[in-house]
Amino acid sequence: MKFSALIAGLLTTTASAYKPVLVLHGIDGDANQYTNFVADLIEEHPGTNAQALKVFEGTPTSWVQLNYQVEHIASSINDIVSASPDEFKDGYHLVCHSQGALICRCLTEYIGTHQIDTLVSMAGPQMGVYDEAFFSFFPDSIGKLTLEEIYHVAYTSVFQDTLSVANMWSDPNHVKDYLSDNNFLPKYNNLIDHDKKDEFKQNFLSLSKAVFVVGSQADGVTYDGGIGPWQAAVFDYYDTDGETFVDMKNQTIYTEDTFGLKTMDERGDLILGVVEGVSHNEWFNNPDVYKKYVFPHCT
């Protein structure tokens, strides 16, 4: 009897060793897509409080402008944490996909004195998007515009105030317009002056670890089935010619350490993973992928 009680106690202790995990879907996605992902995580890490966030789900709700999404998802997370203070007292992990991964990185900057331990970004457009695949998110009226011309509408106040893809649109050929007229991504990449610039960096650096993973594609293919270019997920991005790529360590966000990426790297808490051939949605629907490359960070 005493032996059984001891075993039960050990199991309880082991189960409680894992931090809670909050999961966020990408554009057009919803919490139900992560049913198997969450169940597998709990099976591998028994006792984990893991849940997919039921916020801004589906079409067109997930298309809402990103400043609004960040503000309201932060409130939802604070409600979850406040409702179970004992469970979340040692922190929690954010595991997020695609647009949701960008949102979650921004949440690590936006939420003051947050308790986020580890951020896991799965194929998130951290440097933005620039690909014809996103034309479908814009009204049909822009159909005659070319890739190089979309910035004319994407950077208008109407689209910046309404459409998430416009907030992510990062035209390498028109960087000046991007910095002056995109009201979301330049702010969270701390490339422009704003009143929370120092706070954003401090908040990001309060993470214990930041993990950014993505799948590389065939030579010359920059679209992974969900974001383009896929290189943006690990902070590489087009040069101003819109063709060649500049790696993270030569990007302004790194060289000037705008929001703490360089500091995070130098202290050994930045993890970048590029996995050959993994397509966009495999990060949440292929157990072989997420069990190997995601779950080890959710302890």
Side-chain angles (χ1 to χ4, degrees):
M1 195 65 140
K2 290 182 178 178
F3 180 75
S4 297
L6 176 61
I7 293 298
L10 288 173
L11 288 174
T12 301
T13 301
T14 300
S16 65
Y18 298 109
K19 292 179 172 64
V21 177
L22 301 179
V23 181
L24 182 61
H25 61 81
I27 196 167
D28 288 341
D30 58 54
N32 289 333
Q33 292 178 316
Y34 295 82
T35 300
N36 292 336
F37 182 99
V38 170
D40 287 344
L41 176 59
I42 294 172
E43 182 179 0
E44 293 221 346
H45 297 170
T48 300
N49 176 354
Q51 58 184 294
L53 298 171
K54 297 180 179 181
V55 291
F56 296 97
E57 297 180 287
T59 307
T61 308
S62 62
W63 298 14
V64 171
Q65 64 116 329
L66 295 182
N67 283 304
Y68 184 84
Q69 290 201 45
V70 167
E71 178 184 349
H72 286 268
I73 294 172
S75 179
S76 295
I77 289 174
N78 285 336
D79 288 344
I80 292 170
V81 173
S82 298
S84 303
D86 289 340
E87 284 197 74
F88 286 85
K89 63 182 175 61
D90 294 322
Y92 60 95
H93 307 310
L94 283 181
V95 179
C96 313
H97 180 244
S98 195
Q99 175 180 278
L102 173 59
I103 290 172
C104 284
R105 194 260 292 182
C106 296
L107 287 169
T108 69
E109 300 178 39
Y110 178 83
I111 302 176
T113 60
H114 63 68
Q115 296 168 271
I116 306 166
D117 181 278
T118 297
L119 166 68
V120 182
S121 163
M122 303 182 294
Q126 302 297 337
M127 290 291 283
V129 298
Y130 183 70
D131 195 287
E132 291 181 354
F134 296 98
F135 280 18
S136 61
F137 292 99
F138 291 94
D140 293 340
S141 58
I142 64 95
K144 295 181 180 180
L145 295 178
T146 66
L147 181 65
E148 293 78 13
E149 295 171 329
I150 289 292
Y151 82 99
H152 286 297
V153 295
Y155 295 156
T156 61
S157 59
V158 171
F159 283 94
Q160 286 297 308
D161 291 341
T162 57
L163 187 61
S164 65
V165 172
N167 300 143
M168 295 186 285
W169 198 256
S170 179
D171 188 330
N173 301 295
H174 299 94
V175 176
K176 183 178 179 180
D177 297 277
Y178 162 72
L179 292 174
S180 63
D181 298 330
N182 184 313
N183 65 22
F184 179 78
L185 196 53
K187 178 177 69 175
Y188 279 96
N189 281 348
N190 262 1
L191 291 169
I192 59 173
D193 288 329
H194 58 91
D195 58 2
K196 292 189 175 181
K197 191 170 186 177
D198 292 338
E199 181 181 337
F200 277 11
K201 183 174 182 178
Q202 180 180 343
N203 290 343
F204 178 77
L205 287 172
S206 68
L207 287 169
S208 296
K209 183 169 60 174
V211 181
F212 300 90
V213 293
V214 72
S216 64
Q217 307 303 304
D219 287 347
V221 176
T222 56
Y223 185 64
D224 73 346
I227 63 168
W230 61 261
Q231 291 90 338
V234 287
F235 298 99
D236 296 352
Y237 207 67
Y238 290 115
D239 200 350
T240 53
D241 60 9
E243 296 180 1
T244 57
F245 280 89
V246 177
D247 65 40
M248 177 190 72
K249 290 191 174 181
N250 289 314
Q251 296 285 349
T252 300
I253 57 166
Y254 189 91
T255 58
E256 297 185 12
D257 203 23
T258 58
F259 65 89
L261 203 60
K262 183 178 181 180
T263 298
M264 183 78 73
D265 188 23
E266 290 178 341
R267 76 185 199 197
D269 296 325
L270 177 66
I271 297 174
L272 304 177
V274 177
V275 185
E276 184 178 356
V278 174
S279 62
H280 193 70
N281 288 343
E282 284 188 276
W283 289 104
F284 69 86
N285 66 21
N286 185 337
D288 292 336
V289 172
Y290 58 67
K291 287 182 180 181
K292 183 174 182 179
Y293 299 107
V294 177
F295 287 2
H297 302 294
C298 303
T299 56

